[in-house]
Amino acid sequence: MKRLFYLLLALPLVFAACEPDTPEQEPEYASELALTSEAEMNFDAAGGEGVITFTAEWKDVTRNTPVPAPEVEATCEADWVTDLTVAENITFTVLANEADARETKVVVTYGDKSFEVAVKQAAKQNEPDNGIKFT
C-alpha cells in the first residue's frame, strides 16, 4: 500500500518532466526589396507614363509557420503624379506641366525595407518671341 501511495505521489513529477523547458521561438522574417529600374525618372512638360520595376521577397528566417507576406506599397505626395498602381511593376501618370520645373519622389515600401525614386518634370516652354506681332 505504501508503494502505491509513493507511486501516486511521484506521478505528477513524471508528467512535469515531460514539458518542454524552452518556449517556442517567435518567428522572425526578413524582407528583401530592390529597385531594378532607374532611381531618377525625367519627364518633359507634356507629362507621360512612368514605370518603376522592383523585386520583393519575404523570407521566414526561423522556418516556423508561414505568415502572409506584406504588400508592396507606393506613395507620392505630389498631386501631379496620379494613378499610382502597384502590381508586378509600379505604374503612374505624370500630368502636363503648365509652370516651372518640378520634382517629387515616389516612396516604395515592403515590410521594413524601402527605396525612393525621384520624379522630375521640365518646365513648360513658352513660344519664342521672334518680334512678329499679329493684329
Side-chain angles (χ1 to χ4, degrees), residues 5-19:
F5 175 73
Y6 289 123
L7 183 61
L8 290 174
L9 191 61
L11 196 55
L13 295 175
V14 171
F15 286 110
C18 294
E19 291 182 22

Side-chain angles (χ1 to χ4, degrees), residues 9 13 34 48 53 68 75 77 79 83 95 99 109 117 129:
L9 191 61
L13 295 175
T53 59
T75 58
E77 293 180 0
D79 60 353
D83 303 327
L95 300 177
T109 57
V117 175
D129 185 9

Side-chain angles (χ1 to χ4, degrees), residues 35-91:
L35 173 65
T36 57
S37 59
E38 297 295 319
E40 182 178 301
M41 303 181 83
N42 294 291
F43 294 87
D44 59 19
E49 303 295 316
V51 177
I52 300 170
T53 59
F54 63 91
T55 59
E57 187 176 355
W58 186 248
K59 297 179 182 179
D60 180 356
V61 176
T62 56
R63 306 286 184 227
N64 285 344
T65 12
V67 170
E71 296 291 322
V72 175
E73 296 178 359
T75 58
C76 183
E77 293 180 0
D79 60 353
W80 49 274
V81 174
T82 63
D83 303 327
L84 195 59
T85 306
V86 179
E88 288 183 17
N89 298 316
I90 298 166
T91 58

Side-chain angles (χ1 to χ4, degrees), residues 123-134:
K124 178 181 179 182
Q125 297 296 320
N126 293 327
E127 295 290 323
D129 185 9
N130 56 8
I132 301 174
K133 294 185 180 182
F134 296 99

